[in-house]
Amino acid sequence: MKHGHISDMVAKALDGELLAGEEISALLSVSIKTEESFYIQWAGRTISDQVSLGRAEVHAQVGLNISPCFNDCLFCSFARINGIFSQQTETALEDIIARCADFEKNGANAIYLMCTADFDFDRFIDCAAAVRAALQPCTVLIANIADFGPAQARRLKDAGCAGVYHALRLGEGSDTRIPPERRLQTFHAAREAGLKLGTCLEPVGPEHTIAELVEKTLIARDATPVYCGAARRIPIAGTKLAGYGIVSEARMAHILAVVRLAMGFGVPGNCTHEPNVTGAIAGANLFWAESGANPRDDREQTEKSRGTNINDCRQLFIEAEWDVATGPSPFFS
Ligand code: SF4
């Protein structure tokens, strides 16, 4: 290794020590077509292999509704400001249950219910409870919803959710109308109610500074998630952020490997989205299959568009020489 300090930081992470912000920054600053970058990615894979016992997971998400959402997250196809969807539509409960049952039958390790921020919370709880009742008791159910408080967190738990997907995203508060503190309060409410947290450094765009990537990585680590990786922003045609373009999968592999090193051995999962072999080689051990509405898609049924199915996710992991876990998600166990 030419740059001793990079290999020293990687060695520190491999030894189980938590990296400081400056170290994460230095690792993120490494150019990707270098020996050091591949060393970082090798280390990411090594830690992921060890903490998940060589088994990757495929989770599956069902989008419940479409709405021109008032939070106006600039990267999201539902944002009212982006003008992609002008009507509110909800998937019928029987259809949601059928989609979840299909994912369960196909071996999803966890099933997520996702809705836009303006979706009625009581309605979400009714839906989650109905899905819960229709699935095997051991199937892991996860909520991916708007910010919530302590009482709502307990209701999610009571409805049978094992955890939530939530993130303090890149550009939160500037590219979105959501104050960052509200995301932190939701992390806290989830933890207090016994809901496990899955999170991610997302949505990464070419314009994001290393300083912001580091800041959000440290916030994610402090939230004590069961997984955290990195996902790139998918440009929604015609939107302001689409003008910045997209980060390559090669660069994302480097970033998710650095996030892997930053999280330490206490965090078993390292996600990336959308699913790709390059990321899995660098340590990603969690992909998502998707059905229904999707914030990265301008089509209503993402399974007919960008969404990947469970078998294809599994195949991508096999190409990266991962085994795929069977049964309920060990990450959420
Ligand atoms: S990311 Fe969520 S909160 Fe933001 S606009 Fe999309 S649906 Fe609304």
Side-chain angles (χ1 to χ4, degrees):
M1 300 292 295
K2 280 172 276 177
H3 299 291
H5 70 292
I6 294 294
S7 56
D8 290 347
M9 291 169 207
V10 172
K12 181 176 169 183
L14 286 167
D15 282 346
E17 282 187 65
L18 287 182
L19 298 176
E22 315 83 74
E23 293 169 318
I24 297 167
S25 176
L27 295 179
L28 285 170
S29 302
V30 168
S31 162
I32 62 160
K33 289 189 261 182
T34 60
E35 187 181 348
E36 289 79 15
S37 176
F38 283 93
Y39 185 58
I40 289 165
Q41 293 177 55
W42 164 81
R45 175 66 180 264
T46 300
I47 296 179
S48 280
D49 254 334
Q50 212 168 315
V51 291
S52 63
L53 309 175
R55 287 192 295 268
E57 298 191 19
V58 178
H59 296 185
Q61 175 161 277
V62 177
L64 306 189
N65 77 310
I66 285 171
S67 176
C69 177
F70 50 69
N71 278 328
D72 279 339
C73 307
L74 296 181
F75 41 77
C76 173
S77 63
F78 303 132
R80 188 168 46 193
I81 198 169
N82 287 334
I84 310 287
F85 298 109
S86 54
Q87 304 289 325
Q88 292 192 333
T89 52
E90 271 183 46
T91 306
L93 183 58
E94 312 79 69
D95 189 8
I96 293 166
I97 291 173
R99 287 168 189 260
C100 292
D102 199 46
F103 277 144
E104 181 184 66
K105 188 173 81 180
N106 286 322
N109 304 110
I111 293 176
Y112 293 50
L113 298 176
M114 182 201 69
C115 62
T116 61
D118 51 358
F119 194 81
D120 182 68
F121 182 78
D122 289 336
R123 195 152 163 56
F124 182 85
I125 291 290
D126 291 346
C127 179
V131 167
R132 173 78 278 165
L135 298 178
Q136 305 282 336
C138 62
T139 296
V140 175
L141 187 63
I142 307 298
N144 181 0
I145 64 171
D147 288 288
F148 52 81
Q152 290 175 317
R154 287 191 291 274
R155 290 184 64 198
L156 289 168
K157 182 83 176 156
D158 290 346
C161 294
V164 293
Y165 176 80
H166 213 69
L168 200 169
R169 298 157 303 175
L170 294 156
E172 198 78 79
S174 54
D175 290 343
T176 77
R177 293 191 196 280
I178 307 174
E181 311 76 59
R182 196 178 299 157
R183 310 299 276 179
L184 298 175
Q185 287 160 2
T186 302
F187 287 163
H188 183 73
R191 189 165 49 243
E192 291 295 297
L195 293 163
K196 293 196 164 81
L197 172 72
T199 194
C200 186
L201 181 66
E202 59 112 338
V204 182
E207 78 282 14
H208 291 126
T209 61
I210 299 274
E212 184 172 8
L213 297 178
V214 172
E215 179 208 2
K216 297 291 158 50
T217 300
L218 291 173
I219 287 170
R221 185 170 76 189
D222 285 348
T224 61
V226 298
Y227 62 77
C228 182
R232 64 181 178 175
R233 184 177 67 233
I234 301 299
I236 309 284
T239 63
K240 181 183 159 203
L241 292 187
Y244 288 111
I246 189 167
V247 180
S248 67
E249 288 184 354
R251 172 89 181 130
M252 286 311 302
H254 178 93
I255 294 172
L256 71 87
V258 174
V259 172
R260 168 72 280 171
L261 299 187
M263 289 298 135
F265 283 76
V267 179
N270 182 242
C271 56
T272 198
H273 201 59
E274 293 166 329
N276 68 93
V277 176
T278 315
I281 292 171
N285 57 7
L286 170 58
F287 290 158
W288 282 274
E290 293 174 292
S291 143
N294 170 343
R296 290 168 306 284
D297 207 335
D298 54 12
R299 303 258 309 266
E300 294 193 8
Q301 307 291 333
T302 198
E303 68 275 18
K304 295 179 186 150
S305 177
R306 302 201 68 88
T308 307
N309 65 36
I310 290 181
N311 285 338
D312 288 347
C313 287
R314 200 176 279 135
Q315 194 54 40
L316 292 169
F317 276 132
I318 289 167
E319 291 292 354
E321 302 215 355
W322 277 97
D323 290 335
V324 181
T326 53
S329 164
F331 296 159
F332 279 103
S333 68

